[in-house]
Each structure stands twice: as structure tokens, then as C-alpha cells.
Amino acid sequence: MTRAAQGHEGPHEGLDERAVLLAAGLAELAVTTVGSAVGSAWGALRGLLRRSDAAELVAEAEQELTARGRLVRDRYTGVPPAHLEILARHALARQAAADDV
């Protein structure tokens, strides 16, 4: 399986894929922090925007959201291994164990 098929495309992934991952990451972040104080988060965001390294913070936030998006995508769209593949692995393991005896 290639890295692209596994969802690890890196810097060469398409804009549509990045947008989906960012949206999924943002949604996951929003869901996990809904119970927290939104007002204090807004104040912290305003404080961060005033910093001189805001561009770096935005880039890091984008990477974090993209990573969260990948995790969400993999959690809900992961394809289980093929049944015959699992059987073949078990057969190989049994054969290797029998050869060691």
C-alpha cells in the first residue's frame, strides 16, 4: 500500500484534501472543547493575534488541525484488513511455529 493510499500524502496532497482535513480537525477540536469557557478562549485568541510570531503560530495551528483531521478521517473511514489476508497471516504464523518445533 502506498503512502498516499494510507493517507500520509504530506506536502503534496491536494487542496481539497487539505481543506477536508482542516475542517475535520477544526470540528473535532470544537467538539472536544465545547464545554470549556468560550469567552476565555476568544480572549486568548486575540492575545495570540497580537504576537509578533503570529504567522508561525498559524502555521503550527494548521499542522495541528490537519493532523487532527487525519485522525478523524482514519477513525471513521479506516478499511479493515481483508478476511483472506488475515487467514493467510495466521496460516503463515502457524507454519512458522510448526517449523520451529
Side-chain angles (χ1 to χ4, degrees):
M1 183 180 276
T2 65
R3 285 181 62 79
Q6 294 174 353
H8 302 288
E9 299 175 22
H12 302 293
E13 62 194 0
L15 288 176
D16 290 342
E17 177 72 8
R18 288 189 57 83
V20 168
L21 291 175
L22 285 171
L26 186 59
E28 196 271 338
L29 181 63
V31 167
T32 58
T33 59
V34 164
S36 67
V38 176
S40 65
W42 180 250
L45 179 62
R46 283 187 291 164
L48 289 174
L49 291 176
R50 292 186 192 122
R51 292 176 55 154
S52 62
D53 59 347
E56 293 174 17
L57 290 173
V58 169
E60 289 176 12
E62 180 183 1
Q63 290 174 348
E64 174 70 22
L65 289 175
T66 301
R68 284 177 175 264
R70 277 194 189 95
L71 290 172
V72 169
R73 180 194 61 193
D74 293 346
R75 187 180 316 140
Y76 294 108
T77 63
V79 178
H83 180 69
L84 291 177
E85 179 69 24
I86 294 171
L87 291 176
R89 288 180 186 172
H90 285 293
L92 287 173
R94 273 189 260 125
Q95 183 180 9
D99 291 343
D100 289 340
V101 173

